Amino acid sequence: MAVKTLQDLIDAGVSGRAVLVRSDFNVPIENGVITDPGRIVASLPTLNALLDAGAKLIVTAHLGRPDGKPDAKYSLAPVASKLAELLGRHVQLAGDVVGQDAQARAEGLTDGDVLLLENIRFDPRETSKDETERAKLAAELVALTDGEGAFVSDGFGVVHRKQASVYDVAQLLPSYAGGLVATEVDVLAKLTEDPARPYAVVLGGSKVSDKLGVIEALAPKVDTLVIGGGMAFTFLAAQGYSVGSSLLQEDQIDVCKDLLERFGDVIHLPVDIVVGDKFAADAEAKTVEASGIPDGWMGLDIGPESVRRFSVVLSNAKTIFWNGPAGVFEFEKFAAGTKGIAESIVGATEKGAFSVVGGGDSAAAVRALGLPDDGFSHISTGGGASLEYLEGKQLPGLAALEG
């Protein structure tokens, strides 16, 4: 990626300058408490490097989908508190995005200060399809830096979005890739340019349609493609199996048939399923063959024999990419499949494999199931972005940095 780096900016001098940083603080929050601060922790190296160099930081980020208007449920207040705790310094939270409070606070910043703007998606222009509207918001963000600042893109989880704080601001300020973004791109490049073999990919999650692009892109290039999660049931239906009341995308059955015809020697499907009589933590659960899911029951995890077979494949891999849980890991009865796959990847990593967890629910599962972050070579902060990168798509937020 031929872009200017964080170190290039620091070498140019940032003391006394306002630096606008786009971070990814889209963290899970329950009852006002952050349950997984992983993305905030991942932002610290870039923020600390800029603060140590004397910059005045104006940080922008989003949380959830507030539909372009202020919503207390999506306030970044919990993020500001956690960020202050982790940085060990005061973090101001503006009461708006680019309004009077944000402007006043930005004007009062001194070297080493941190200002977090309120949720950028409270402003409908952030995600507008109208380039003029996005450009107006970008100009107002830039104005907070007195026009003499710089922009650091450090929210990898949003670089696949053509949004004002990701793409348009990069047209208006000297722009640099933050340390997190640069690391993510370096890691994903290893998966695409010359991966060590055998190369195994594990894909889970709910919908086949969400993963079609990456299946098409990776199936011809990998040695093994393991399918789990809700998307597995559309593949099982494509084999002619009844899937009971499991999640099923009927409009994708023919697509799955085609994929199995073309890549059947690479694609590995579950051979047994843990089913439940309802979608709930207290559901009655039992294990059945993949070809024998009873009517009225839904598949909520892969079974122990599937875990065993997948583990054999993964234990011999030299490169592993995992995106998407194997089951409903949030429910204890249906977490064993995801945990088994994750433990297999950890074991392969300990033997020297290069392993990447592709963000999103997979990263959440690693932490929820008590697995060590350092059991994997890299845990991405961007699920959708990492998938689109591996598909070979141009990511607007990265393209803007190359301009």
Side-chain angles (χ1 to χ4, degrees):
M1 187 173 68
V3 302
K4 289 182 286 187
T5 66
L6 181 67
Q7 192 58 50
D8 290 332
L9 172 58
I10 291 172
D11 290 345
V14 293
S15 181
R17 292 178 70 185
V19 178
L20 180 67
V21 181
R22 183 30 159 121
S23 295
D24 181 5
F25 294 152
N26 190 27
V27 293
I29 297 178
E30 294 180 10
N31 300 317
V33 178
I34 296 170
T35 57
D36 179 6
R39 284 176 168 168
I40 302 176
V41 172
S43 75
L44 298 178
T46 290
L47 299 180
N48 277 319
L50 289 165
L51 290 169
D52 290 346
K56 300 182 288 187
L57 293 191
I58 301 172
V59 185
T60 183
H62 78 279
L63 178 66
R65 296 179 178 177
D67 296 327
K69 56 183 182 294
D71 184 336
K73 181 171 69 173
Y74 297 111
S75 171
L76 289 178
V79 172
S81 296
K82 175 58 72 172
L83 184 60
E85 173 192 328
L86 293 171
L87 286 174
R89 66 177 73 207
H90 178 61
V91 173
Q92 298 182 56
L93 176 65
D96 48 32
V97 178
V98 287
Q100 291 185 347
D101 191 54
Q103 293 169 20
R105 290 176 183 272
E107 288 175 7
L109 292 176
T110 59
D111 295 7
D113 282 352
V114 184
L115 170 62
L116 176 62
L117 304 180
E118 188 50 284
N119 191 336
I120 188 70
R121 290 188 181 172
F122 283 180
D123 192 313
R125 297 174 296 176
E126 165 70 357
T127 58
S128 175
K129 302 299 183 188
D130 185 328
E131 293 187 6
T132 302
E133 289 298 306
R134 290 202 318 270
K136 288 178 180 177
L137 175 57
E140 291 174 32
L141 288 168
V142 168
L144 297 177
T145 72
D146 292 329
E148 299 296 325
F151 172 60
V152 173
S153 177
D154 207 43
F156 182 74
V158 289
V159 293
H160 59 316
R161 305 297 189 194
K162 197 170 188 179
Q163 297 176 346
S165 67
V166 179
Y167 176 82
D168 298 271
V169 292
Q171 321 298 318
L172 304 175
L173 283 174
S175 299
Y176 303 81
L180 186 153
V181 163
T183 297
E184 294 273 13
V185 172
D186 287 345
V187 165
L188 292 173
K190 291 181 182 178
L191 297 178
T192 56
E193 290 169 5
D194 188 21
R197 294 187 177 277
Y199 180 8
V201 169
V202 181
L203 295 178
S206 58
K207 295 181 179 180
V208 174
S209 55
D210 291 343
K211 305 285 170 70
L212 278 179
V214 77
I215 292 173
E216 288 279 5
L218 293 182
K221 303 175 183 177
V222 304
D223 300 291
T224 302
L225 180 57
V226 171
I227 303 288
M231 61 188 288
F233 300 107
T234 304
F235 278 95
L236 293 176
Q239 291 184 313
Y241 298 156
S242 170
V243 296
S245 56
S246 306
L247 185 65
L248 175 65
Q249 286 186 284
E250 292 189 13
D251 62 336
Q252 300 295 323
I253 290 176
D254 287 343
V255 175
C256 290
K257 285 181 180 177
D258 174 62
L259 289 169
L260 289 170
E261 287 175 4
R262 288 189 287 142
F263 306 114
D265 58 333
V266 171
I267 294 175
H268 293 240
L269 297 174
V271 294
D272 58 346
I273 301 292
V274 182
V275 297
D277 60 348
K278 59 183 177 180
F279 186 84
D282 63 350
E284 182 182 345
K286 62 182 180 181
T287 301
V288 300
E289 291 186 3
S291 59
I293 299 175
D295 290 346
W297 290 70
M298 62 181 69
L300 297 175
D301 195 12
I302 61 172
E305 178 61 18
S306 299
V307 173
R308 189 192 69 77
R309 293 189 183 197
F310 294 164
S311 296
V312 170
V313 172
L314 294 173
S315 67
N316 294 316
K318 297 298 183 185
T319 303
I320 304 172
F321 174 72
W322 171 35
N323 180 278
V328 187
F329 70 89
E330 298 90 344
F331 299 158
E332 186 176 353
K333 290 182 180 180
F334 307 106
T338 300
K339 189 170 186 179
I341 282 179
E343 288 174 340
S344 298
I345 297 173
V346 170
T349 307
E350 290 172 347
K351 293 195 300 182
F354 179 70
S355 61
V356 178
V357 180
D361 288 342
S362 310
V366 166
R367 295 170 182 129
L369 297 173
L371 296 161
D373 282 19
D374 60 5
F376 307 87
S377 304
H378 180 73
I379 298 179
S380 177
T381 57
S386 57
L387 287 177
E388 290 197 16
Y389 185 96
L390 292 177
E391 286 176 40
K393 290 184 177 180
Q394 183 182 67
L395 307 187
L398 297 183
L401 299 178
E402 296 170 351

